[in-house]
Amino acid sequence: MQVLGRAASVGAFDKRGEESGHVKISLSGNTPEHIIRITRKIDTKNKSEWLLDVFTTRPIQLLEETQKAVGVPDLPVQHHQLIYRSKELKNLEVANLMRKRLPWLKYEMKEEELIEAQEQEKTMKKKMEIAKIWEDSKRPIDYRNEQVRAIMNKLP
């Protein structure tokens, strides 16, 4: 990702061989005495740190404070509404994707059932073949046993 379309990392903004640098801006606050100072420190190791006045902050907090400093009272409210609606939209997109995916899931489940049924059919065919072989191999023995019984029945 390029930062500001000019460099691949914040460390690349160092043009004088320094290991670190900073950028400071000052904004007017709610009163003439209130001044908001925003500082961004960067170094050649791509470490970036934001400061609001003298306290380390995250970019989200920095954005919120900047919105407050601009002086439009509805701006933070509109921003939070935008975030909320964005999350709602994401949820709707996920739900829509799931609705589209459902027929494929049903298809895949039926396909698995078919494969399982085919495997069971193969197993049953093998069992039937084994049973037939068993019955075929028993037939001569059963025939001999019947002959022996018939002879035994004829004996006095």
Side-chain angles (χ1 to χ4, degrees):
M1 178 178 108
Q2 287 197 334
V3 179
L4 300 176
R6 296 183 188 143
S9 66
V10 292
F13 282 97
D14 172 34
K15 301 293 183 200
R16 295 188 202 156
E18 300 290 330
E19 289 193 24
S20 65
H22 67 274
V23 176
K24 259 187 200 178
I25 62 169
S26 298
L27 301 170
S28 299
N30 296 336
T31 64
E33 301 83 33
H34 186 219
I35 296 174
I36 300 168
R37 288 180 181 81
I38 299 171
T39 306
R40 184 174 187 188
K41 295 180 179 181
I42 59 175
D43 65 21
T44 55
K45 296 177 185 149
N46 293 324
K47 183 180 175 195
S48 177
E49 182 181 15
W50 291 90
L51 298 148
L52 178 62
D53 291 326
V54 292
F55 303 105
T56 301
T57 186
R58 295 190 344 246
I60 291 172
Q61 293 169 315
L62 186 64
L63 175 62
E64 290 172 351
E65 292 301 319
T66 304
Q67 288 173 342
K68 289 176 189 174
V70 168
V72 180
D74 275 358
L75 196 56
V77 173
Q78 290 173 354
H79 184 231
H80 286 292
Q81 286 176 344
L82 183 62
I83 291 169
Y84 176 76
R85 288 190 177 140
S86 176
K87 287 178 183 176
E88 282 183 329
L89 179 62
K90 186 93 169 160
N91 288 339
L92 289 173
E93 288 172 348
V94 168
N96 190 30
L97 184 62
M98 290 173 72
R99 195 176 355 226
K100 288 178 180 177
R101 180 79 174 113
L102 187 60
W104 285 108
L105 288 173
K106 288 179 180 178
Y107 170 79
E108 288 170 356
M109 288 172 59
K110 290 296 181 186
E111 188 176 39
E112 286 177 15
E113 288 176 16
L114 174 65
I115 291 169
E116 187 178 320
Q118 289 172 337
E119 291 298 321
Q120 288 177 353
E121 182 183 17
K122 286 179 187 175
T123 302
M124 289 303 293
K125 281 183 180 178
K126 285 180 184 176
K127 286 181 179 179
M128 289 174 63
E129 288 174 9
I130 291 170
K132 185 174 180 341
I133 291 169
W134 173 253
E135 289 299 320
D136 290 348
S137 65
K138 270 182 29 177
R139 200 167 289 133
I141 296 170
D142 289 343
Y143 177 74
R144 287 281 186 220
N145 285 342
E146 287 177 25
Q147 286 179 338
V148 169
R149 272 192 221 112
I151 292 172
M152 293 293 276
N153 286 339
K154 290 182 184 176
L155 291 176

